């Protein structure tokens, strides 16, 4: 049975832990204990320094085929088996303070030589336990296995406050998405070195939904030379929320809207709670949430609940969830709210000097395709000519269908970049 909650997983819950053992404190049969990584020393404490590495994936080629096939990813066929690791590494918080974050690195087994990394940044997660470093069926775990099975190093950050990272997740904060993702790539270099391999400096970057926004922000950091070694190789985000102010928010609040109103209510609740932590939108929840949700919203988004817990406790539309005053503020943002939105937007306001291809569907019921259209306009204004893949409308064009369709398409496109 397929799961279709917002950005949590690609599809169903994987049955049969013989293939993958995951979760806090668990490891694959190859060892079962966390080990310190070679490379940067913990004493140095620099960003991207590896704190621990725990094996979480060991699959033969046949097991990879079964695992991915169960997720609707039967093509291209895997080249071989994979080994994957949960990585805890040093990074910075949304306010610039030292912290740690987690993610997953999956490598092709048996081969030798240097690997090229594919960075996959995941869609919206509300619960820590659904992150790819923890959950065997986590969206980013599946994507990392998929790319690794094709011969790449699959690198997937959990972001701040998800997986085993402390604190709350700063949802839709582009800067911290980029910093956590870049530091995850730095940590991945050490993980790859432990396996006797090298990592190509050119990183292939993709991501889905919230992760599409994160991919654009990460790409900009890589191109700017923030890391002295890593560079952007190609950019292929999927169904990203690139323009909250002029695309996603208006589509979510429009009277005759094409977006799923229940999903819009979830996204707005999550964003509001997260933004308040850093931008101080309200003093009491009743200023933005109607009763009875003013007494429950903050608790629902504390990281201990996933979408299956949250959705039944939220109403069917933003109008039932949010106060009239706050709805009007969302339609005409100013002050603290505008600052919060600007912290998410602008990820397309630059000029990539590598091939760019944006994937999405004009029939998407969760993230309006106007996000992609506006991103293309911004990139073109800077002289970039991105390619666009629009899966259209009708059957097979809903939000999660774009991910299922785009993963094989991004892989094939990346293979032409070699």
């Amino acid at each position: 049975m397929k799961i279709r909650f917002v950005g949590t997983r690609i599809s169903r819950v994987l049955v049969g832990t013989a293939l993958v053992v995951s979760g806090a404190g668990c490891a694959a049969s190859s060892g079962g204990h966390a080990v310190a990584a070679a490379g940067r020393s913990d004493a140095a404490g620099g960003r991207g320094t590896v704190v621990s590495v725990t094996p979480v994936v060991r699959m033969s080629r046949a097991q990879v085929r079964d695992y991915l096939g169960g997720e609707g990813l039967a093509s291209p066929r895997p080249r071989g088996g994979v080994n994957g690791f949960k990585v805890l590494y040093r990074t910075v918080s949304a306010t610039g303070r030292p912290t740690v974050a987690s993610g997953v690195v999956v490598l092709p087994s048996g081969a030798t030589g240097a690997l090229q990394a594919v960075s996959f940044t995941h869609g919206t997660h509300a619960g820590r336990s659904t992150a790819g470093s923890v959950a065997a069926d986590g969206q980013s775990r599946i994507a990392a296995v998929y790319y690794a099975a094709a011969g790449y190093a699959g690198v997937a950050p959990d972001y701040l406050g998800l997986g085993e990272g402390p604190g709350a997740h700063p949802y839709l904060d582009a800067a911290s998405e980029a910093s956590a993702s870049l530091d995850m790539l730095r940590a991945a270099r050490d993980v790859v070195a432990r396996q006797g391999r090298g990592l190509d400096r050119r990183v292939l970057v993709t991501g889905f939904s919230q992760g599409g926004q994160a991919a654009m922000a990460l790409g900009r950091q890589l191109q700017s030379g923030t890391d002295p070694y890593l560079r952007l190789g190609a950019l292929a985000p999927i169904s990203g929320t690139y323009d909250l102010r002029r695309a996603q928010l208006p589509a979510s609040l429009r009277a005759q809207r094409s977006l799923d109103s229940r999903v819009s209510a979830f996204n707005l609740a999550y964003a509001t709670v997260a933004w308040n932590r850093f931008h101080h939108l309200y003093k009491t929840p009743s200023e933005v949430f109607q009763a009875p949700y003013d007494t429950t919203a903050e608790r629902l988004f504390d990281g201990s609940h996933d979408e299956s817990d949250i959705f039944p406790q939220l109403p069917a539309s933003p109008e039932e969830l949010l106060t009239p005053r706050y709805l009007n503020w969302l339609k005409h943002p100013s002050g603290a709210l505008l600052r919060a939105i600007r912290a998410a937007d602008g990820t397309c306001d630059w000029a990539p000097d590598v091939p760019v291809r944006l994937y999405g569907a004009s029939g998407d019921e969760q993230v309006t395709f106007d996000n992609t259209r506006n991103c293309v306009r911004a990139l073109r204004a800077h002289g970039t000519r991105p390619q666009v893949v629009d899966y259209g409308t009708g059957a097979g064009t809903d939000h999660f269908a774009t991910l299922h369709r785009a993963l094989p398409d991004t892989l094939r496109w990346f293979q032409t970049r070699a």
Side-chain angles (χ1 to χ4, degrees), residues 277-290:
R277 297 186 184 111
F278 298 98
H279 301 280
H280 311 296
L281 305 187
Y282 57 85
K283 293 181 179 179
T284 63
S286 60
E287 295 174 31
V288 294
F289 295 109
Q290 296 196 55

Side-chain angles (χ1 to χ4, degrees), residues 152 204 234 355 357 387 409-418:
Y152 296 95
L204 305 171
R357 180 175 284 187
Q387 299 176 352
D409 288 348
T410 57
L411 173 57
R412 295 185 183 99
W413 188 64
F414 286 153
Q415 289 170 333
T416 69
R417 303 293 103 200

Side-chain angles (χ1 to χ4, degrees), residues 218-295:
L218 172 61
R220 189 172 192 170
Q221 287 293 301
L222 287 167
Q223 181 167 295
S224 70
T226 302
D227 185 89
Y229 177 78
L230 298 168
R231 291 293 182 271
L232 180 62
L235 187 56
I238 306 162
S239 303
T241 49
Y242 313 112
D243 193 347
L244 294 186
R245 186 179 182 187
R246 295 178 176 84
Q248 189 64 21
L249 286 175
S252 299
L253 300 171
R254 196 173 293 129
Q256 300 297 321
R257 51 180 167 254
S258 59
L259 300 185
D260 185 312
S261 61
R262 186 174 292 275
V263 173
S264 294
F266 169 91
N267 288 335
L268 288 168
Y270 194 1
T272 298
V273 170
W275 288 340
N276 190 60
R277 297 186 184 111
F278 298 98
H279 301 280
H280 311 296
L281 305 187
Y282 57 85
K283 293 181 179 179
T284 63
S286 60
E287 295 174 31
V288 294
F289 295 109
Q290 296 196 55
Y293 310 108
D294 57 337
T295 63

Side-chain angles (χ1 to χ4, degrees), residues 8-324:
T8 307
R9 306 166 188 185
I10 287 189
S11 57
R12 64 177 178 84
V13 174
L14 178 69
V15 177
T17 56
L19 297 185
V20 183
V21 181
S22 69
C26 297
S29 59
S30 58
H33 59 281
V35 294
R40 297 178 180 86
S41 67
D42 288 350
R47 289 178 52 179
T49 299
V50 173
V51 176
S52 66
V53 180
T54 306
V56 291
V57 176
R58 183 179 290 276
M59 297 186 199
S60 67
R61 181 181 180 183
Q63 289 173 323
V64 172
R65 185 181 62 245
D66 291 344
Y67 173 74
L68 295 176
E71 297 295 339
L73 296 170
S75 178
R77 292 183 178 181
R79 295 182 179 180
V82 300
N83 296 314
F85 309 90
K86 175 173 63 181
V87 182
L88 193 67
Y89 63 96
R90 300 191 188 282
T91 186
V92 293
S93 71
T95 57
R97 296 179 179 275
T99 188
V100 296
S102 57
V104 63
V105 176
V106 185
L107 308 177
S109 58
T112 59
L115 294 168
Q116 188 167 20
V118 175
S119 173
F120 177 86
T121 42
H122 64 73
T124 297
H125 295 348
R128 298 174 180 278
S129 63
T130 54
S133 69
V134 177
D137 62 334
Q139 182 189 109
S140 56
R141 171 85 65 94
I142 296 165
V145 169
Y146 183 69
Y147 291 116
Y152 296 95
V155 181
D158 294 335
Y159 308 142
L160 298 178
L162 296 173
E164 298 195 355
H169 173 50
Y171 183 48
L172 295 178
D173 179 70
S176 66
E177 290 167 353
S179 61
S181 299
L182 179 58
D183 291 341
M184 178 71 199
L185 284 165
R186 290 165 168 155
R189 284 189 67 196
D190 285 351
V191 175
V192 171
R194 278 191 59 85
Q195 306 304 308
R197 311 286 291 272
L199 197 66
D200 191 296
R201 70 184 313 194
R202 298 166 303 147
V203 181
L204 305 171
V205 175
T206 184
F208 170 65
S209 197
Q210 178 191 359
Q213 172 202 69
M216 292 300 298
L218 172 61
R220 189 172 192 170
Q221 287 293 301
L222 287 167
Q223 181 167 295
S224 70
T226 302
D227 185 89
Y229 177 78
L230 298 168
R231 291 293 182 271
L232 180 62
L235 187 56
I238 306 162
S239 303
T241 49
Y242 313 112
D243 193 347
L244 294 186
R245 186 179 182 187
R246 295 178 176 84
Q248 189 64 21
L249 286 175
S252 299
L253 300 171
R254 196 173 293 129
Q256 300 297 321
R257 51 180 167 254
S258 59
L259 300 185
D260 185 312
S261 61
R262 186 174 292 275
V263 173
S264 294
F266 169 91
N267 288 335
L268 288 168
Y270 194 1
T272 298
V273 170
W275 288 340
N276 190 60
R277 297 186 184 111
F278 298 98
H279 301 280
H280 311 296
L281 305 187
Y282 57 85
K283 293 181 179 179
T284 63
S286 60
E287 295 174 31
V288 294
F289 295 109
Q290 296 196 55
Y293 310 108
D294 57 337
T295 63
T296 61
E298 291 187 331
R299 173 183 57 80
L300 290 175
F301 294 98
D302 63 2
S304 66
H305 304 272
D306 66 17
E307 286 74 7
S308 62
D309 297 324
I310 297 171
F311 266 82
Q313 300 185 62
L314 291 179
S317 71
E319 290 77 13
E320 296 172 77
L321 173 70
L322 305 174
T323 63

